[in-house]
PDB file of all heavy atoms in Angstrom:
ATOM      1  N   LEU L 399      31.181  21.627 -24.291  1.00  0.00           N
ATOM      2  CA  LEU L 399      32.407  20.823 -24.269  1.00  0.00           C
ATOM      3  C   LEU L 399      33.091  20.968 -22.910  1.00  0.00           C
ATOM      4  O   LEU L 399      33.561  19.974 -22.336  1.00  0.00           O
ATOM      5  CB  LEU L 399      33.340  21.286 -25.412  1.00  0.00           C
ATOM      6  CG  LEU L 399      34.694  20.591 -25.491  1.00  0.00           C
ATOM      7  CD1 LEU L 399      34.545  19.084 -25.642  1.00  0.00           C
ATOM      8  CD2 LEU L 399      35.514  21.143 -26.664  1.00  0.00           C
ATOM      9  N   SER L 400      33.131  22.188 -22.416  1.00  0.00           N
ATOM     10  CA  SER L 400      33.791  22.416 -21.138  1.00  0.00           C
ATOM     11  C   SER L 400      33.047  21.666 -20.018  1.00  0.00           C
ATOM     12  O   SER L 400      33.673  21.071 -19.140  1.00  0.00           O
ATOM     13  CB  SER L 400      33.870  23.916 -20.927  1.00  0.00           C
ATOM     14  OG  SER L 400      33.818  24.244 -19.614  1.00  0.00           O
ATOM     15  N   MET L 403      33.911  17.975 -20.347  1.00  0.00           N
ATOM     16  CA  MET L 403      35.266  17.689 -19.857  1.00  0.00           C
ATOM     17  C   MET L 403      35.293  17.676 -18.335  1.00  0.00           C
ATOM     18  O   MET L 403      36.023  16.900 -17.729  1.00  0.00           O
ATOM     19  CB  MET L 403      36.261  18.704 -20.438  1.00  0.00           C
ATOM     20  CG  MET L 403      36.474  18.479 -21.937  1.00  0.00           C
ATOM     21  SD  MET L 403      37.863  19.363 -22.638  1.00  0.00           S
ATOM     22  CE  MET L 403      37.369  21.052 -22.480  1.00  0.00           C
ATOM     23  N   ASN L 404      34.463  18.532 -17.730  1.00  0.00           N
ATOM     24  CA  ASN L 404      34.369  18.505 -16.256  1.00  0.00           C
ATOM     25  C   ASN L 404      33.778  17.191 -15.782  1.00  0.00           C
ATOM     26  O   ASN L 404      34.282  16.566 -14.853  1.00  0.00           O
ATOM     27  CB  ASN L 404      33.471  19.638 -15.754  1.00  0.00           C
ATOM     28  CG  ASN L 404      34.201  20.952 -15.749  1.00  0.00           C
ATOM     29  OD1 ASN L 404      35.436  20.986 -15.776  1.00  0.00           O
ATOM     30  ND2 ASN L 404      33.456  22.038 -15.736  1.00  0.00           N
ATOM     31  N   GLN L 405      32.713  16.780 -16.479  1.00  0.00           N
ATOM     32  CA  GLN L 405      32.066  15.515 -16.076  1.00  0.00           C
ATOM     33  C   GLN L 405      33.030  14.345 -16.208  1.00  0.00           C
ATOM     34  O   GLN L 405      33.032  13.435 -15.388  1.00  0.00           O
ATOM     35  CB  GLN L 405      30.861  15.245 -16.973  1.00  0.00           C
ATOM     36  CG  GLN L 405      29.620  16.000 -16.565  1.00  0.00           C
ATOM     37  CD  GLN L 405      28.501  15.818 -17.586  1.00  0.00           C
ATOM     38  OE1 GLN L 405      28.344  14.772 -18.186  1.00  0.00           O
ATOM     39  NE2 GLN L 405      27.727  16.853 -17.802  1.00  0.00           N
ATOM     40  N   LYS L 407      36.129  14.526 -15.908  1.00  0.00           N
ATOM     41  CA  LYS L 407      37.307  14.824 -15.062  1.00  0.00           C
ATOM     42  C   LYS L 407      38.604  14.817 -15.877  1.00  0.00           C
ATOM     43  O   LYS L 407      39.623  14.231 -15.476  1.00  0.00           O
ATOM     44  CB  LYS L 407      37.399  13.834 -13.898  1.00  0.00           C
ATOM     45  CG  LYS L 407      36.219  13.888 -12.946  1.00  0.00           C
ATOM     46  CD  LYS L 407      36.534  13.130 -11.657  1.00  0.00           C
ATOM     47  CE  LYS L 407      35.526  13.340 -10.569  1.00  0.00           C
ATOM     48  NZ  LYS L 407      34.157  12.971 -10.815  1.00  0.00           N
ATOM     49  N   ILE L 408      38.569  15.436 -17.037  1.00  0.00           N
ATOM     50  CA  ILE L 408      39.758  15.497 -17.887  1.00  0.00           C
ATOM     51  C   ILE L 408      40.712  16.549 -17.325  1.00  0.00           C
ATOM     52  O   ILE L 408      40.305  17.697 -17.100  1.00  0.00           O
ATOM     53  CB  ILE L 408      39.366  15.823 -19.355  1.00  0.00           C
ATOM     54  CG1 ILE L 408      38.497  14.685 -19.894  1.00  0.00           C
ATOM     55  CG2 ILE L 408      40.594  16.054 -20.222  1.00  0.00           C
ATOM     56  CD1 ILE L 408      37.958  14.880 -21.284  1.00  0.00           C
ATOM     57  N   PRO L 409      41.969  16.166 -17.083  1.00  0.00           N
ATOM     58  CA  PRO L 409      42.912  17.138 -16.496  1.00  0.00           C
ATOM     59  C   PRO L 409      43.083  18.379 -17.382  1.00  0.00           C
ATOM     60  O   PRO L 409      43.045  18.284 -18.618  1.00  0.00           O
ATOM     61  CB  PRO L 409      44.215  16.353 -16.395  1.00  0.00           C
ATOM     62  CG  PRO L 409      43.814  14.927 -16.465  1.00  0.00           C
ATOM     63  CD  PRO L 409      42.572  14.848 -17.274  1.00  0.00           C
ATOM     64  N   GLU L 410      43.322  19.499 -16.708  1.00  0.00           N
ATOM     65  CA  GLU L 410      43.426  20.801 -17.364  1.00  0.00           C
ATOM     66  C   GLU L 410      44.410  20.774 -18.550  1.00  0.00           C
ATOM     67  O   GLU L 410      44.110  21.327 -19.616  1.00  0.00           O
ATOM     68  CB  GLU L 410      43.885  21.819 -16.301  1.00  0.00           C
ATOM     69  CG  GLU L 410      43.557  23.257 -16.592  1.00  0.00           C
ATOM     70  CD  GLU L 410      42.065  23.530 -16.772  1.00  0.00           C
ATOM     71  OE1 GLU L 410      41.261  23.097 -15.934  1.00  0.00           O
ATOM     72  OE2 GLU L 410      41.723  24.172 -17.783  1.00  0.00           O
ATOM     73  N   ILE L 411      45.551  20.110 -18.382  1.00  0.00           N
ATOM     74  CA  ILE L 411      46.597  20.169 -19.424  1.00  0.00           C
ATOM     75  C   ILE L 411      46.151  19.563 -20.766  1.00  0.00           C
ATOM     76  O   ILE L 411      46.719  19.873 -21.801  1.00  0.00           O
ATOM     77  CB  ILE L 411      47.939  19.482 -18.997  1.00  0.00           C
ATOM     78  CG1 ILE L 411      47.655  18.122 -18.346  1.00  0.00           C
ATOM     79  CG2 ILE L 411      48.777  20.367 -18.103  1.00  0.00           C
ATOM     80  CD1 ILE L 411      48.890  17.218 -18.356  1.00  0.00           C
ATOM     81  N   HIS L 412      45.157  18.703 -20.748  1.00  0.00           N
ATOM     82  CA  HIS L 412      44.701  18.085 -22.000  1.00  0.00           C
ATOM     83  C   HIS L 412      43.575  18.860 -22.673  1.00  0.00           C
ATOM     84  O   HIS L 412      43.195  18.565 -23.800  1.00  0.00           O
ATOM     85  CB  HIS L 412      44.200  16.661 -21.727  1.00  0.00           C
ATOM     86  CG  HIS L 412      45.254  15.768 -21.175  1.00  0.00           C
ATOM     87  ND1 HIS L 412      46.294  15.270 -21.942  1.00  0.00           N
ATOM     88  CD2 HIS L 412      45.447  15.300 -19.923  1.00  0.00           C
ATOM     89  CE1 HIS L 412      47.074  14.527 -21.171  1.00  0.00           C
ATOM     90  NE2 HIS L 412      46.587  14.524 -19.950  1.00  0.00           N
ATOM     91  N   ARG L 413      43.023  19.806 -21.958  1.00  0.00           N
ATOM     92  CA  ARG L 413      41.767  20.408 -22.433  1.00  0.00           C
ATOM     93  C   ARG L 413      41.923  21.250 -23.696  1.00  0.00           C
ATOM     94  O   ARG L 413      41.062  21.231 -24.569  1.00  0.00           O
ATOM     95  CB  ARG L 413      41.128  21.235 -21.310  1.00  0.00           C
ATOM     96  CG  ARG L 413      40.678  20.316 -20.183  1.00  0.00           C
ATOM     97  CD  ARG L 413      39.752  21.014 -19.255  1.00  0.00           C
ATOM     98  NE  ARG L 413      39.343  20.070 -18.214  1.00  0.00           N
ATOM     99  CZ  ARG L 413      38.314  20.235 -17.414  1.00  0.00           C
ATOM    100  NH1 ARG L 413      37.587  21.317 -17.499  1.00  0.00           N
ATOM    101  NH2 ARG L 413      38.002  19.338 -16.515  1.00  0.00           N
ATOM    102  N   HIS L 414      43.016  21.983 -23.755  1.00  0.00           N
ATOM    103  CA  HIS L 414      43.201  22.863 -24.909  1.00  0.00           C
ATOM    104  C   HIS L 414      43.219  22.045 -26.207  1.00  0.00           C
ATOM    105  O   HIS L 414      42.579  22.392 -27.206  1.00  0.00           O
ATOM    106  CB  HIS L 414      44.497  23.664 -24.744  1.00  0.00           C
ATOM    107  CG  HIS L 414      44.659  24.700 -25.809  1.00  0.00           C
ATOM    108  ND1 HIS L 414      43.790  25.760 -25.949  1.00  0.00           N
ATOM    109  CD2 HIS L 414      45.560  24.818 -26.832  1.00  0.00           C
ATOM    110  CE1 HIS L 414      44.145  26.486 -26.977  1.00  0.00           C
ATOM    111  NE2 HIS L 414      45.213  25.935 -27.541  1.00  0.00           N
ATOM    112  N   LYS L 415      43.942  20.925 -26.171  1.00  0.00           N
ATOM    113  CA  LYS L 415      44.042  20.036 -27.356  1.00  0.00           C
ATOM    114  C   LYS L 415      42.647  19.540 -27.753  1.00  0.00           C
ATOM    115  O   LYS L 415      42.309  19.492 -28.946  1.00  0.00           O
ATOM    116  CB  LYS L 415      44.916  18.815 -26.995  1.00  0.00           C
ATOM    117  CG  LYS L 415      46.351  18.936 -27.427  1.00  0.00           C
ATOM    118  CD  LYS L 415      46.749  17.752 -28.337  1.00  0.00           C
ATOM    119  CE  LYS L 415      47.541  18.164 -29.552  1.00  0.00           C
ATOM    120  NZ  LYS L 415      48.785  18.876 -29.234  1.00  0.00           N
ATOM    121  N   ILE L 416      41.872  19.159 -26.754  1.00  0.00           N
ATOM    122  CA  ILE L 416      40.532  18.629 -27.028  1.00  0.00           C
ATOM    123  C   ILE L 416      39.644  19.730 -27.634  1.00  0.00           C
ATOM    124  O   ILE L 416      38.891  19.501 -28.591  1.00  0.00           O
ATOM    125  CB  ILE L 416      39.906  18.043 -25.743  1.00  0.00           C
ATOM    126  CG1 ILE L 416      40.763  16.878 -25.247  1.00  0.00           C
ATOM    127  CG2 ILE L 416      38.466  17.595 -25.967  1.00  0.00           C
ATOM    128  CD1 ILE L 416      40.327  16.253 -23.940  1.00  0.00           C
ATOM    129  N   GLN L 417      39.801  20.936 -27.095  1.00  0.00           N
ATOM    130  CA  GLN L 417      39.028  22.065 -27.638  1.00  0.00           C
ATOM    131  C   GLN L 417      39.381  22.283 -29.108  1.00  0.00           C
ATOM    132  O   GLN L 417      38.506  22.492 -29.951  1.00  0.00           O
ATOM    133  CB  GLN L 417      39.305  23.341 -26.845  1.00  0.00           C
ATOM    134  CG  GLN L 417      38.297  23.566 -25.732  1.00  0.00           C
ATOM    135  CD  GLN L 417      38.843  24.400 -24.595  1.00  0.00           C
ATOM    136  OE1 GLN L 417      40.015  24.777 -24.590  1.00  0.00           O
ATOM    137  NE2 GLN L 417      37.995  24.682 -23.627  1.00  0.00           N
ATOM    138  N   GLU L 418      40.661  22.211 -29.392  1.00  0.00           N
ATOM    139  CA  GLU L 418      41.115  22.394 -30.787  1.00  0.00           C
ATOM    140  C   GLU L 418      40.520  21.320 -31.688  1.00  0.00           C
ATOM    141  O   GLU L 418      40.001  21.591 -32.770  1.00  0.00           O
ATOM    142  CB  GLU L 418      42.643  22.312 -30.833  1.00  0.00           C
ATOM    143  CG  GLU L 418      43.278  23.671 -30.730  1.00  0.00           C
ATOM    144  CD  GLU L 418      44.799  23.573 -30.772  1.00  0.00           C
ATOM    145  OE1 GLU L 418      45.352  22.464 -31.004  1.00  0.00           O
ATOM    146  OE2 GLU L 418      45.411  24.597 -30.557  1.00  0.00           O
TER     147      GLU L 418
END
Side-chain angles (χ1 to χ4, degrees):
L399 177 58
S400 149
M403 290 193 294
N404 281 341
Q405 279 173 35
K407 298 194 170 59
I408 297 176
E410 203 58 49
I411 46 160
H412 299 287
R413 293 195 179 196
H414 187 64
K415 263 237 136 58
I416 298 176
Q417 266 154 357
E418 266 180 6

